[in-house]
Structure formats: C-alpha cells, structure tokens
Amino acid sequence: FEVSTIKFLFKEIFKASLNLQNNHQKKEMLVSRKMQPQNTIVDINGEMIGDGSQRFIMGPCAVESYDQVKSVALAMKKQGLTLLRGGAFKPRTSPYDFQGLGERGLQILRKVGDEVGMSVISEIVSSNDVEMALPYVDVIQIGARNMQNFELLKTVGKVDKPVLLKRGLSATIEEFINAAEYIMANGNNQIILCERGIRTYEKATRNTLDISAVPILKKETHLPVIVDVTHSTGRKDLLLPTAKAALAIGADAVMAEVHPDPAVALSDSAQQMNIAEFNEFIEELKVLQKKLALV
Amino acid sequence: FEVSTIKFLFKEIFKASLNLQNNHQKKEMLVSRKMQPQNTIVDINGEMIGDGSQRFIMGPCAVESYDQVKSVALAMKKQGLTLLRGGAFKPRTSPYDFQGLGERGLQILRKVGDEVGMSVISEIVSSNDVEMALPYVDVIQIGARNMQNFELLKTVGKVDKPVLLKRGLSATIEEFINAAEYIMANGNNQIILCERGIRTYEKATRNTLDISAVPILKKETHLPVIVDVTHSTGRKDLLLPTAKAALAIGADAVMAEVHPDPAVALSDSAQQMNIAEFNEFIEELKVLQKKLALV
Amino acid sequence: FEVSTIKFLFKEIFKASLNLQNNHQKKEMLVSRKMQPQNTIVDINGEMIGDGSQRFIMGPCAVESYDQVKSVALAMKKQGLTLLRGGAFKPRTSPYDFQGLGERGLQILRKVGDEVGMSVISEIVSSNDVEMALPYVDVIQIGARNMQNFELLKTVGKVDKPVLLKRGLSATIEEFINAAEYIMANGNNQIILCERGIRTYEKATRNTLDISAVPILKKETHLPVIVDVTHSTGRKDLLLPTAKAALAIGADAVMAEVHPDPAVALSDSAQQMNIAEFNEFIEELKVLQKKLALV
Amino acid sequence: FEVSTIKFLFKEIFKASLNLQNNHQKKEMLVSRKMQPQNTIVDINGEMIGDGSQRFIMGPCAVESYDQVKSVALAMKKQGLTLLRGGAFKPRTSPYDFQGLGERGLQILRKVGDEVGMSVISEIVSSNDVEMALPYVDVIQIGARNMQNFELLKTVGKVDKPVLLKRGLSATIEEFINAAEYIMANGNNQIILCERGIRTYEKATRNTLDISAVPILKKETHLPVIVDVTHSTGRKDLLLPTAKAALAIGADAVMAEVHPDPAVALSDSAQQMNIAEFNEFIEELKVLQKKLALV
C-alpha cells in the first residue's frame, strides 16, 4: 500500500466511526421506530389516528363565516365525519391577501364544533398565539411554511394537545422527522405527520405528491402519517385518485378542503370541493375502504 | 382608460388568440383524449394493457445469462405472468460500467420467452438497432434517458410493435405526452406510457414517484399508463407499498425488477427482488387486486 | 367563429383583466422598482449598502466565545471591513445540535463590535426576541428558514433597524419579493435582500447559487441585493470564484463565513475559511474590485 | 463493543474500500484533472478555447435562410468574432414545431462560414448524421437532450473534430463529466463542456444558471468550460449580467443567440438578441474583458 492509501483508509475509518455515532443519534431520536416499536395512536376526542383505521379530515381552506363553516360541518356530520379543519390564521405569500379571521375564526370553529359535535383542527402561526388558541382547538396544525419555525415547534412541544405537523415546501424526509423531534423532545408525543406535496419542476400540479414518504415515515417513526391531497395536487380532479393511492399505501387519514361555494372562496378557490363533490368523494372512498377491509 | 391600459388589453387579447391556437394544437394531438375518447388497448400476444385489468411486467434489470433469465421467467410463469422484461442494451452513466450483452442478450430473452411462453420487452437505445431487434422483442422499450431522443422516437414510430415509453428523468408531463406524439405521428399507436419517478431534491428515494402523473396522463391521453416501482424508489422496501398505490390509482400495469441473486447482479443490485421476495410481492398484490375487483 | 371559440375568447379577456389587476397590484408593491425608481441605500453606521460600492459582510457561522469573535473581528478590521456577522440563535435541523449562545452571543458580538469599531449583524428567529436584540445589533438578519415566518416579518417591519432578509431554501423570487413587502408594508424600508442558493437535485454543492436572481431582484425592486457565497456553495474552494461572479453581476455585497479554527467550529466546519484563507479571499476580491472600477 | 457495532464497523470498512476503488476509477477517468493536470486547449481553426482567453460563440437559434445567417455572420465579423453557431437539426418538444432545415441548414452555415471566414458549430442529433455533417461543421454540438444519448457520444468520440457537449436538462455534474468520458474513451479529446442552466422549481428564468458548475468542472476536468447564457436564462435582459458573471468566474467562452429579426424567428423568438443588441452586448463585455486583463 502507498502512504496515501493508508491515509485514505484511516480517514474512511474515522468517517465510519462518525457515521456510527450519527446512527446512534438517529436511533436515539424519540420519534424513531427504533426507540418505540409500536405505533403512536393520537386520540382526538375518541377518534383515533394511527390505530389502523383510516380517517378523513375535512373543512374549508379558510374560515370565512359562521354559516360557511356550519354548512360544511353539517355535510361532514351526515357522512359520519368528526374531524373539522379550517384556517383562521392564513400564511399568505402576499401581505395584501386575505390573512384569515384570526381569533374570531377560531371562535367560529369552536362554536360550530360544539354545536355539531366535531373536533377542531386549525393552524397556529406564532408561538404567542398558542396559549390563546388552546380553548378553541382540539389539534394544533403547524403549516408547511413553519415546519422549521423551531420556536413554534418548541412551544407546541410543551402543550397537552395533539399537533398536526405538515411537511415543509421542500423539506427532506430527514428534516421533517427532525422537526417532529423538536416537538417530542419538548414533551409532546401526540404528533401527526402530514405529507402535502413537495416543490419540484413539474407544474401540472401545484406540488408533487411524494407518496412514498408515507411508508418511509411509518418505517422510520412510530407516528401516524396522513396525506393532504388538496395541497399536494392543487387540482380538484386529482383529489379522488390521489386519496385512493393514499389509502392503499396505508395513510392514517386523508385531508382535503371543502367549501360551500368554492367560486367565491377567499383563498384557494380553484382546488376546494363543493358539498356535492365532497359527498361523492367520501362515498367513493368509503367503498374503497370497505373493499380494502375485506378478508 | 389610460393608453397603456388599452395597449395592455390588446396585448392580452393577442396572447389569448395565441393560447387559442395552442389549445387547438393540443386538441389535435393524436395521443390526446380529445382526439380519441376511448382507451387505446395494447395487445401483447393476447395480454391486454389498458383494458381495465392490471398487469405485471417483471424481470431482471440486465440480462446476464440464459440461466439467470430462465429462472426468473419460470418463477413468473408459476405466478401466471407472461410479460418478461430485461435489459440487453444498458445506458449507464459511466462508459466503464457494464453496458449489457447487446444482441446476445436479446437472443437469450427470445429463447427463454419461447421456451416458457412469455412475451419479451427490452430497451433499444439506437435507431440503428431497431430493425435488428424486431425478431427478438414483442415490445420495444424507450428508456428515460432517450425520451427526447427524437430520432429514435421517429424510428420506433414506423415499426409495427408496441412501444413502452418511459418518462424522462426530469421531463414534464407535457414533454412526456409530446414524446409519445412523436411516435404516434409516425404511424405507431401502440404506446404504453411509463411513470418511473422524477428527479427532485429528496434523496431518501432514488427518484420521486410522481403518482399523480397516472391520472393526469390517463385524462390527457387515451394511452395505457404503467408504473415502474423499482426505478421510482430504488428501494426494495418500498416496492410493495408503491405498487399498491399504483393499483389503487388506476395504473394499467406495475413494473418491477427481479433477479435470482441480486447481491451479484451486474447493475442495480440494491433494488432488485429475489425470487422469494418476488413471490411475496405478487401474492400480496393479487390479494389487493381481488379486493379492488369486488363489487 | 364557433360558439366555443367565442366563449374561450371571453374567458381569456376576463383572465386578461385579472392579470391587469395583478399587474397593478405588483406595480403598487412598496418594494417595487416601479413604485420607487431610485435605489434604496441602507446606511449601517456610515457603511452604505446599495450605493454602487460593493461591501463585504463576514464573520463566524456561530458565536462560540469572545476570543473567537474578537480574533475574526481584528482580522476583518485589518482588511478595512466593518460589517461583522455572527449567529447567536442558530436554527438547526436537529434539536440536539448546538443551538447557539442566544442573548449571551449577542452580548459578545456587541462588545467586540464596540471594542473594534464594527457594526453587528445577527439572526433573530422569534418575534419575541426582536425587542431584546435591538440594543445589541445594527442589522437584524432573517434566515432562510424564516423567510415566510410572517409574524417575524411583521415584527421586524415595525422596528427602526435595517433587516437583512435571506431567500428561503426553495423560495421563488416572487415569494422572496413578497416577503420583503411584508416588512416594508409594516413601515421598515431598510431592507437588504440576500441570495443564498436554492435547493435543487444537484449535490456537488450544498445549494445551487441562483446568480441570475441578483439582476432580477435589482430590476424588480429598489432594494440592495447581496450574495452569501458560503451557504450557496457549502464548499470553501468555491467561495472565491462565486464571489467574483457576484461582484461582476452587480451584487451590493458579498457575505461569507470566517472562523479562527474551522476544524473545531460548532457548526458548518467544512465551509468556513480560516484567517489566512480569509485574507487571501479579500485581497483577491479587492484586486477584482479595483479592476472593475477602472474606466 | 457489542457484536452489532463490530459488524457495523466492518461494513463501514468494506464501504470504505469500495469508495477507495471508486475514487481510483474517478482518478483514472481520461477527462479527469488528476489524469492530465494541464488544460486541454481546443483549437478551432486557430481560435483557441481553453488557453486563458475568453471567446464568444454566437449565432441564430435556428438556421432559417442564407440571408439570415449571412447578416448575423457579418455583424459578428465586424466585432472580430469567428465562431458561428446555428441550429440545422432542432430537437423540439413537439413533433409539429419547426425541426430545422437539416443538411440544407448545414450547407448554408458552411457557405456563409467560408464567405465570411468563420468557423461553424452546429448540433447533430443522430449518430447517422455525423459522417454527413463532417464536411460542413468545424465543431459538432451535442445538445442537452442528447447528453446521455450514449450511442451518439460514442460516434462523435471516434471522429477528428472538436465536440461541444451541453449539460443535460437536469444532469448532475458527475453525469456530465461521465458523458464527456464517453467521448474521450472513444478517442476524441477535443471536448468543450457547456453549462446551460438546469431545471429547477424557479420559473422567473427558463432554467437556473448553475454558475458554480464552471469552477467545479474546471477543477474536476482539464476541459474548457463555456456558458450558454441564452438557454440558462431564456431572458434577453439577463444575457449581459450573466455573461459578466461567466467571464468573472473564468468561463472559457460565452455563448448566446442573435437573430436579425427575433420577432419572426422560427424558434426561441423571445430570447434572441437583434443585431443592435448584439453589438451593445459584445461591446460591454469587451470593456469588462479589458478591465479583467489589467494588471
């Protein structure tokens, strides 16, 4: 062997021991499947996420009014759904776009949730709002743009409410898992991971649904994994097929947006289903669920 | 109205008329669903692709020997499969990597195909090889790296054999459809489109399976659409879940790689199933197919 | 004309009028060059950014100790530089990585800045820390992961200190400009935009330096634009060539990381220059600046 | 140590020896700087590429007529340029777009080249056309879509003409270098590498100019590296600034498109300069070259 070869070999052995340590660290992550082999099941007022059943989380993109939310909630209730999601704080690209109703929006969600008997899921964008939001929401959503807002992650890691964590716009799966670790390292293990599409060169869809993230996340972590088909595709005609793929690949829930009158929605009007489309969507997926459940 | 506004409006009207023409052109593409509302069904010696049933196309990454191909083919036959795929011409990043057995590889495929009673699918990388390959193959595959090798597309457009066209490494869906149009415009309408993952920033998988490409391609064109789960993921542990997603979303076939002894494979050793894994893979998917077929 | 053509034309005219409105909105953005034709010049204690001269912003990735910062500051001073940048709050992928010294880090930066006569630039990651940080820093940096942390943008929009806003990991230029608009819409027009590489499939560099973002941002906005060559490339051997490209294309400043002993740095050890490399870097760039300034 | 640790360590040592072999292979690539420390200089009828001077390669996107090419060539000649590039075979996304004049286009280029005294560079898209093209062209261009058309690479590797190899639409730098190796392994070492932008999520430019590819390619290989600013940006307003960056970072030539009347061009009309713009472009870059050359 030449001297340079020997040097190189030692460098590689050094690298290898570093990798060994990294792997140990990975193994020691609280969210890791190696740390906890059995699934974490998140209990949202009795509706379980991660127990093998597959749920639906639906609602309008943004809370606009009591009537709007109520009509969606009633339609959901008729279909037997109980997980109502709506945005009160909307992170928008432009400061001049509708930014959501804020606390007023949360109040509407809570009121409707109580009247109709549904659990409320809503995004919080600032650690200062977490305390305020607790009485209104049953699950705190952390949006894609805040997946690495570590201050916010730490704050929701300290509360006693489930957290629905969305994957960042172009976060790697490793970064996504580490973001969840920020929450769990602060004490909160009620975490739901949400694949919502990643940013790629392809423009036929709003984002590219990374469907293989579902089995990877379920293998690497013990957390439930859901799929947001609305933001993944940004196209109403793709909601049903991608939801079918999500169910078949083992997602713990499918999330999508419904609006009583999408044409006048204050945000994402092109990609929300109306009530009739929602009913058709749920009914087709129930048929699929029934088939998949057969022995 | 200001003068600039009027100017702008006229510019937009001009753009609009351009778009109108583009849309006409799109409508007039031979592969377009608007041009032919009913599905194209590709008949491979009696095995139909695109008729609503969902097929399996399997085989080794590269043809290495008669014994290797034969043992895969026999395993496939036992499972009732008839579509054998293997690489004789291997486009490899480095000129020093194994480039395939060439015509000798095609001969092996044909011999095994005839002995076992299977159809042969193999990639051709040069328009000069198309004529030579015709007696050996039942389907000509065009690989991802050649999706915009327009000379090759034109050549296979003139032969009377089905073409399996893979999406380019980072081709848009629009470019993919146009590549198929090159084939059909030259007279060959027996085209199978194959989603095989796209290049993104995510490195947990070899490529990112763009599962929503399946419903988009089926909506935009009348051609059958299949999913190559091996190249999409590059990971054996993801073949089964992504194949399930592909079946659920309506792919006309699933393609994957099998090798009698992946550890010594001359290419892609990490991502090929062995025979036992292949059997398990097919059996699980058959169960899913049965469930999906129930009324 | 067919009826469908007429319908299409009207739809396009409608779209055109929408575009017209969008364009108006764009024109009316406060950061837009259309709104303010002359360059915004940010004055950092007498050192101007955006006046046509080209500055250097340097310092360690993370503040680790008084001695570490002092030795970098003294080296910078010798080269005539006055803009000292160091991280006290470090947003890290893993919760178990070094998170920075926090307020103690800011104190060190301020103390060194005052002793050596330099201005201090440091990242703030939470709107709750902005008030606390004001006495310590001369420029507030908003990091890539917080580019769409709109709460933080609004908060720094209300203070009377320049803001150095880094482009998000995979933010579009349009999103980047809108993020700056969040700051300016809240009253603060002292904004410096920083291109720092975008996330792509290419792994030869940590990120891909999007050098054409510089002329685009200078055309679309009136704000100064700088280039962070360290995070764009993640490679010490590329700092000098990319810095030359940045100066030639008209960046208002070049930002890079220096550490007295990179091998033991608590973060980004591979990509920081040591003092000798820093001196060579600055001297080569000064030669280039001299050449570019010649008539 | 646990057994698993020992196993892991041995696995890593095994990996390390594999890496060692890979590195050897890399070192042994013919295009590698390790194999040949001094620069390859490509001589195009006396105009050197790679000798430290920085050249301009200009011409229309597509050859449309003798008059069109002649007027561009005369304008170039006036500026002292001798490297005329024009497309006779145009790989186009749609089969219905203008595909170039073919051999007739090469004849026009040759005729004009001979009359005006210029060297001719033109893309060849099929290995069958290489022989035919040799009398007409001084440099064979391999386009982005054919960077991994290995049959074509092997063919041009066997001829005695310089090859201008463009980076693939989303090729990694490693794949790009390996594509050049295909040419050199077949005997032709007169290779010019061309960065032309890569495909990313950003849509403000047609592609994203990966400017750091220039120093990386020059470090890894001994081949000259040029930058095509037209296809990198797809915007006329970015040609000059990106060309400046290319010169500053050490590119051996800048390539751009000129058309006597871009508005009526049969391809890429939006991004080609007219003659007046071309003159301004060259004159500004000559000023920069003069400055950069000063001691």
Side-chain angles (χ1 to χ4, degrees):
Chain A
F1 284 125
E2 287 176 67
V3 176
S4 66
T5 306
I6 306 289
K7 276 168 80 175
F8 183 83
L9 267 170
F10 272 91
K11 197 176 140 198
E12 287 300 316
I13 290 168
F14 184 60
K15 259 195 216 166
S17 40
L18 272 176
N19 275 344
L20 192 61
Q21 285 177 296
N22 286 341
N23 205 50
H24 258 295
Q25 193 183 46
K26 206 172 160 184
K27 203 190 289 178
E28 282 162 13
M29 285 178 74
L30 299 169
V31 297
S32 170
R33 178 71 76 179
K34 286 173 190 147
M35 203 68 166
Q36 177 192 313
Q38 76 279 16
N39 289 336
T40 284
I41 297 169
V42 176
D43 179 345
I44 309 174
N45 301 321
E47 186 107 349
M48 303 297 170
I49 310 279
D51 68 346
S53 59
Q54 298 182 303
R55 309 293 180 182
F56 298 104
I57 300 173
M58 316 284 294
C61 175
V63 173
E64 294 166 10
S65 70
Y66 169 83
D67 289 348
Q68 173 229 26
V69 177
K70 185 76 177 264
S71 80
V72 171
L74 288 172
M76 288 175 63
K77 191 71 181 179
K78 251 189 222 158
Q79 291 286 359
L81 311 186
T82 69
L83 304 171
L84 177 65
R85 179 207 150 279
F89 295 91
K90 301 298 304 171
R92 301 301 296 276
T93 299
S94 163
Y96 309 124
D97 284 341
F98 175 58
Q99 309 266 319
L101 298 180
E103 186 170 356
R104 176 81 195 110
L106 296 180
Q107 288 165 345
I108 290 172
L109 283 168
R110 183 72 277 156
K111 188 166 148 63
V112 171
D114 288 346
E115 289 171 2
V116 185
M118 304 190 87
S119 300
V120 166
I121 301 169
S122 199
E123 178 172 358
I124 299 302
V125 296
S126 163
S127 48
N128 296 330
D129 291 337
V130 172
E131 196 65 30
M132 171 276 287
L134 290 179
Y136 301 120
V137 301
D138 300 294
V139 177
I140 296 169
Q141 179 180 314
I142 303 297
R145 280 165 192 77
N146 283 311
M147 192 205 81
Q148 290 195 316
N149 181 339
F150 299 120
E151 295 311 298
L152 184 54
L153 298 180
K154 289 172 191 170
T155 304
V156 299
K158 285 170 195 140
V159 303
D160 184 27
K161 287 265 164 153
V163 175
L164 191 163
L165 177 65
K166 297 187 90 171
R167 182 178 184 181
L169 292 178
S170 67
T172 62
I173 287 175
E174 196 188 339
E175 289 168 344
F176 190 18
I177 293 174
N178 272 284
E181 184 72 9
Y182 264 95
I183 298 171
M184 197 154 170
N186 280 277
N188 189 347
N189 66 347
Q190 298 294 92
I191 304 164
I192 300 163
L193 301 176
C194 178
E195 160 65 25
R196 44 77 72 207
I198 59 173
R199 188 163 271 187
T200 72
Y201 69 85
E202 175 61 69
K203 298 294 153 192
T205 43
R206 178 164 161 180
N207 292 290
T208 297
L209 171 58
D210 180 7
I211 196 77
S212 35
V214 177
I216 296 173
L217 290 168
K218 291 189 81 72
K219 188 182 182 182
E220 297 275 329
T221 80
H222 48 77
L223 302 173
V225 181
I226 72 171
V227 174
D228 172 353
V229 291
T230 299
H231 289 93
S232 293
T233 64
R235 283 171 57 160
K236 264 201 300 198
D237 61 332
L238 298 179
L239 299 181
L240 184 60
T242 52
K244 286 180 178 175
L247 293 179
I249 211 167
D252 293 298
V254 166
M255 190 150 95
E257 292 182 354
V258 195
H259 190 286
D261 190 356
V264 300
L266 295 176
S267 57
D268 287 355
S269 68
Q271 69 194 32
Q272 301 191 61
M273 291 179 279
N274 63 28
I275 304 289
E277 290 160 339
F278 158 77
N279 282 324
E280 204 188 316
F281 176 79
I282 294 294
E283 277 149 27
E284 286 228 35
L285 293 177
K286 281 182 182 169
V287 171
L288 177 64
Q289 285 187 310
K290 223 180 201 165
K291 288 179 177 181
L292 294 174
L294 291 172
V295 208
Chain B
F1 286 126
E2 287 174 69
V3 175
S4 66
T5 306
I6 305 291
K7 275 168 81 178
F8 182 84
L9 269 170
F10 272 92
K11 197 176 142 198
E12 288 301 314
I13 290 169
F14 184 60
K15 261 195 212 164
S17 40
L18 272 175
N19 276 344
L20 191 62
Q21 284 177 297
N22 286 341
N23 205 51
H24 258 293
Q25 194 182 45
K26 206 171 161 185
K27 203 189 291 178
E28 283 163 12
M29 284 177 75
L30 300 170
V31 298
S32 169
R33 178 71 77 180
K34 285 174 192 147
M35 202 69 167
Q36 178 192 313
Q38 77 279 18
N39 289 336
T40 284
I41 298 170
V42 175
D43 179 345
I44 309 174
N45 301 321
E47 186 107 350
M48 303 297 170
I49 310 280
D51 68 345
S53 58
Q54 297 183 304
R55 309 292 181 182
F56 298 104
I57 300 173
M58 315 284 293
C61 176
V63 173
E64 294 165 9
S65 70
Y66 170 81
D67 289 349
Q68 173 229 26
V69 176
K70 185 77 178 263
S71 80
V72 171
L74 288 172
M76 288 175 62
K77 191 71 183 179
K78 250 189 223 158
Q79 291 286 358
L81 311 187
T82 68
L83 303 171
L84 176 66
R85 180 207 151 278
F89 295 90
K90 302 297 305 171
R92 302 299 297 275
T93 300
S94 164
Y96 309 123
D97 284 341
F98 176 59
Q99 310 267 317
L101 298 181
E103 186 170 357
R104 175 82 195 109
L106 296 181
Q107 288 165 343
I108 291 172
L109 284 167
R110 182 73 277 155
K111 187 167 150 63
V112 172
D114 288 346
E115 288 170 3
V116 185
M118 304 191 86
S119 299
V120 166
I121 302 169
S122 200
E123 179 172 357
I124 298 303
V125 297
S126 163
S127 48
N128 295 331
D129 292 335
V130 172
E131 195 66 28
M132 172 276 287
L134 290 178
Y136 301 120
V137 302
D138 300 295
V139 178
I140 297 169
Q141 180 180 313
I142 303 297
R145 281 167 190 77
N146 283 312
M147 192 203 81
Q148 291 195 316
N149 181 338
F150 299 118
E151 295 311 297
L152 184 53
L153 298 180
K154 287 173 191 167
T155 305
V156 299
K158 286 171 195 137
V159 303
D160 185 26
K161 287 263 165 157
V163 175
L164 191 163
L165 177 67
K166 296 188 92 173
R167 183 177 181 180
L169 293 178
S170 66
T172 62
I173 288 174
E174 196 188 338
E175 289 167 344
F176 191 18
I177 293 173
N178 272 283
E181 185 72 9
Y182 265 94
I183 299 171
M184 198 152 170
N186 280 278
N188 189 345
N189 66 345
Q190 297 294 90
I191 304 165
I192 300 164
L193 300 176
C194 179
E195 160 63 26
R196 45 77 73 205
I198 59 173
R199 188 162 271 185
T200 72
Y201 68 86
E202 175 61 69
K203 297 294 151 189
T205 43
R206 178 163 162 182
N207 292 291
T208 297
L209 170 57
D210 181 8
I211 195 76
S212 34
V214 177
I216 296 173
L217 290 167
K218 289 189 82 71
K219 188 182 181 182
E220 297 275 330
T221 80
H222 49 76
L223 302 173
V225 181
I226 73 172
V227 173
D228 172 353
V229 291
T230 300
H231 289 92
S232 294
T233 65
R235 284 173 56 161
K236 263 201 301 200
D237 62 331
L238 298 179
L239 299 181
L240 184 60
T242 50
K244 286 180 178 176
L247 292 179
I249 210 167
D252 293 298
V254 166
M255 189 151 95
E257 291 181 354
V258 195
H259 191 287
D261 191 355
V264 300
L266 295 177
S267 58
D268 286 355
S269 68
Q271 70 195 29
Q272 300 191 62
M273 292 179 277
N274 63 28
I275 304 288
E277 291 161 340
F278 158 76
N279 282 324
E280 203 188 317
F281 175 80
I282 293 294
E283 277 149 27
E284 286 229 35
L285 292 178
K286 280 183 183 168
V287 171
L288 177 64
Q289 285 188 311
K290 223 179 201 165
K291 287 179 178 180
L292 293 174
L294 291 173
V295 206
Chain C
F1 285 126
E2 286 176 69
V3 176
S4 66
T5 306
I6 305 290
K7 275 168 81 177
F8 182 83
L9 268 169
F10 272 92
K11 197 176 143 200
E12 288 300 315
I13 290 169
F14 184 59
K15 261 195 213 163
S17 39
L18 272 176
N19 276 344
L20 191 61
Q21 284 177 296
N22 286 342
N23 206 50
H24 258 293
Q25 193 183 45
K26 208 171 160 185
K27 203 190 290 178
E28 281 162 14
M29 284 178 76
L30 299 170
V31 298
S32 168
R33 178 71 77 181
K34 286 174 192 147
M35 201 71 167
Q36 178 191 313
Q38 76 279 17
N39 288 337
T40 284
I41 298 170
V42 176
D43 179 345
I44 309 174
N45 301 321
E47 186 107 349
M48 303 297 171
I49 309 279
D51 68 345
S53 59
Q54 297 183 303
R55 310 293 180 181
F56 299 104
I57 301 173
M58 314 284 292
C61 175
V63 173
E64 295 166 8
S65 71
Y66 170 81
D67 289 349
Q68 173 229 26
V69 177
K70 186 75 178 265
S71 81
V72 171
L74 288 172
M76 287 175 62
K77 192 70 182 178
K78 250 189 223 158
Q79 291 285 359
L81 311 187
T82 68
L83 303 171
L84 176 66
R85 179 207 151 279
F89 295 91
K90 302 297 305 170
R92 301 300 296 276
T93 299
S94 164
Y96 308 124
D97 284 342
F98 176 58
Q99 310 268 317
L101 297 180
E103 186 170 357
R104 175 82 196 109
L106 296 182
Q107 288 165 345
I108 290 172
L109 283 167
R110 182 74 276 153
K111 188 167 149 62
V112 171
D114 288 345
E115 288 171 3
V116 185
M118 304 191 87
S119 299
V120 166
I121 301 169
S122 200
E123 179 172 356
I124 298 303
V125 297
S126 163
S127 48
N128 295 330
D129 292 336
V130 172
E131 195 66 30
M132 172 276 287
L134 290 179
Y136 301 120
V137 302
D138 300 295
V139 177
I140 297 170
Q141 180 180 313
I142 303 297
R145 280 166 191 78
N146 283 312
M147 193 203 81
Q148 290 195 317
N149 181 339
F150 299 119
E151 295 311 297
L152 183 54
L153 297 180
K154 288 173 191 168
T155 304
V156 300
K158 286 171 195 138
V159 303
D160 185 26
K161 288 262 165 158
V163 175
L164 191 163
L165 177 66
K166 297 187 91 172
R167 183 177 181 180
L169 293 178
S170 66
T172 62
I173 288 175
E174 196 188 338
E175 289 167 345
F176 190 17
I177 293 174
N178 272 285
E181 184 72 9
Y182 265 94
I183 299 172
M184 197 151 171
N186 280 279
N188 189 346
N189 66 345
Q190 298 294 91
I191 304 164
I192 300 164
L193 300 176
C194 179
E195 161 63 27
R196 45 78 71 207
I198 59 172
R199 186 162 273 184
T200 71
Y201 69 85
E202 175 61 70
K203 298 294 151 189
T205 43
R206 179 164 161 180
N207 292 292
T208 297
L209 170 57
D210 180 8
I211 195 75
S212 35
V214 178
I216 296 173
L217 289 168
K218 290 188 84 69
K219 188 182 182 184
E220 297 275 330
T221 80
H222 49 77
L223 301 173
V225 181
I226 73 172
V227 174
D228 172 352
V229 291
T230 300
H231 289 92
S232 293
T233 65
R235 284 173 56 161
K236 264 203 298 201
D237 62 331
L238 298 179
L239 300 181
L240 184 60
T242 51
K244 286 179 178 176
L247 292 179
I249 211 167
D252 293 297
V254 166
M255 189 150 96
E257 292 182 353
V258 195
H259 191 287
D261 190 356
V264 300
L266 294 176
S267 58
D268 286 357
S269 68
Q271 69 194 32
Q272 301 191 62
M273 292 179 277
N274 64 26
I275 304 289
E277 291 161 338
F278 158 77
N279 281 324
E280 203 188 316
F281 176 79
I282 293 294
E283 277 149 27
E284 286 229 35
L285 293 177
K286 280 183 184 169
V287 171
L288 178 64
Q289 285 187 311
K290 223 180 201 165
K291 288 179 177 181
L292 293 174
L294 291 174
V295 206
Chain D
F1 283 125
E2 286 176 68
V3 175
S4 66
T5 307
I6 305 289
K7 276 168 82 176
F8 183 83
L9 266 170
F10 273 91
K11 197 177 141 198
E12 287 301 315
I13 290 168
F14 184 61
K15 260 195 215 166
S17 39
L18 272 176
N19 275 344
L20 192 62
Q21 285 178 294
N22 286 341
N23 206 49
H24 257 296
Q25 193 183 44
K26 208 171 159 184
K27 202 190 291 179
E28 282 163 13
M29 285 178 75
L30 299 169
V31 297
S32 170
R33 178 71 77 180
K34 287 173 189 146
M35 202 69 168
Q36 177 191 313
Q38 76 279 15
N39 289 336
T40 285
I41 297 170
V42 175
D43 179 345
I44 310 174
N45 301 321
E47 185 106 349
M48 303 297 171
I49 310 279
D51 68 346
S53 60
Q54 298 183 303
R55 310 292 180 182
F56 298 104
I57 301 173
M58 316 284 293
C61 175
V63 173
E64 295 165 10
S65 69
Y66 169 82
D67 290 349
Q68 172 229 25
V69 177
K70 186 75 178 264
S71 80
V72 171
L74 289 173
M76 288 175 62
K77 192 70 181 179
K78 250 189 223 159
Q79 291 286 358
L81 311 187
T82 68
L83 303 171
L84 176 67
R85 180 208 151 279
F89 295 90
K90 302 297 304 170
R92 301 299 297 276
T93 299
S94 163
Y96 309 123
D97 284 341
F98 175 58
Q99 310 267 319
L101 297 181
E103 186 170 357
R104 176 81 195 110
L106 297 181
Q107 288 165 345
I108 291 172
L109 283 168
R110 183 72 277 154
K111 188 166 149 64
V112 172
D114 288 345
E115 290 171 0
V116 185
M118 305 191 85
S119 299
V120 165
I121 302 169
S122 200
E123 178 171 358
I124 298 302
V125 297
S126 164
S127 48
N128 295 330
D129 291 336
V130 172
E131 196 65 29
M132 172 275 288
L134 290 179
Y136 301 120
V137 301
D138 300 294
V139 178
I140 297 169
Q141 179 180 314
I142 303 296
R145 281 166 191 76
N146 282 312
M147 192 204 82
Q148 291 196 316
N149 181 340
F150 299 119
E151 295 311 298
L152 184 54
L153 297 180
K154 288 172 191 168
T155 304
V156 299
K158 285 169 195 139
V159 303
D160 184 26
K161 287 266 163 153
V163 175
L164 191 164
L165 177 65
K166 297 188 91 172
R167 182 178 183 180
L169 292 178
S170 67
T172 62
I173 287 175
E174 196 188 338
E175 290 167 344
F176 190 18
I177 293 174
N178 271 285
E181 184 72 10
Y182 264 94
I183 298 171
M184 197 154 170
N186 280 278
N188 189 346
N189 66 346
Q190 298 294 92
I191 304 164
I192 300 163
L193 300 176
C194 178
E195 160 65 25
R196 45 77 73 207
I198 60 173
R199 188 162 272 185
T200 71
Y201 69 86
E202 176 62 70
K203 298 293 153 192
T205 43
R206 179 163 160 180
N207 292 290
T208 297
L209 170 58
D210 181 7
I211 195 77
S212 35
V214 178
I216 296 173
L217 289 168
K218 290 189 81 72
K219 187 181 182 183
E220 298 275 329
T221 80
H222 49 76
L223 301 173
V225 181
I226 73 171
V227 174
D228 172 352
V229 292
T230 299
H231 289 92
S232 293
T233 64
R235 283 172 57 160
K236 264 200 302 198
D237 61 332
L238 298 179
L239 299 181
L240 183 60
T242 51
K244 287 179 177 177
L247 292 179
I249 210 166
D252 292 298
V254 165
M255 189 150 95
E257 291 181 354
V258 196
H259 191 286
D261 190 356
V264 300
L266 294 177
S267 58
D268 286 354
S269 68
Q271 69 195 32
Q272 300 192 62
M273 292 180 277
N274 63 28
I275 304 289
E277 290 160 339
F278 157 76
N279 282 324
E280 203 187 316
F281 176 79
I282 293 294
E283 277 149 27
E284 286 228 36
L285 292 177
K286 281 182 183 169
V287 170
L288 177 63
Q289 284 188 310
K290 223 180 201 167
K291 287 179 177 180
L292 293 174
L294 291 174
V295 208

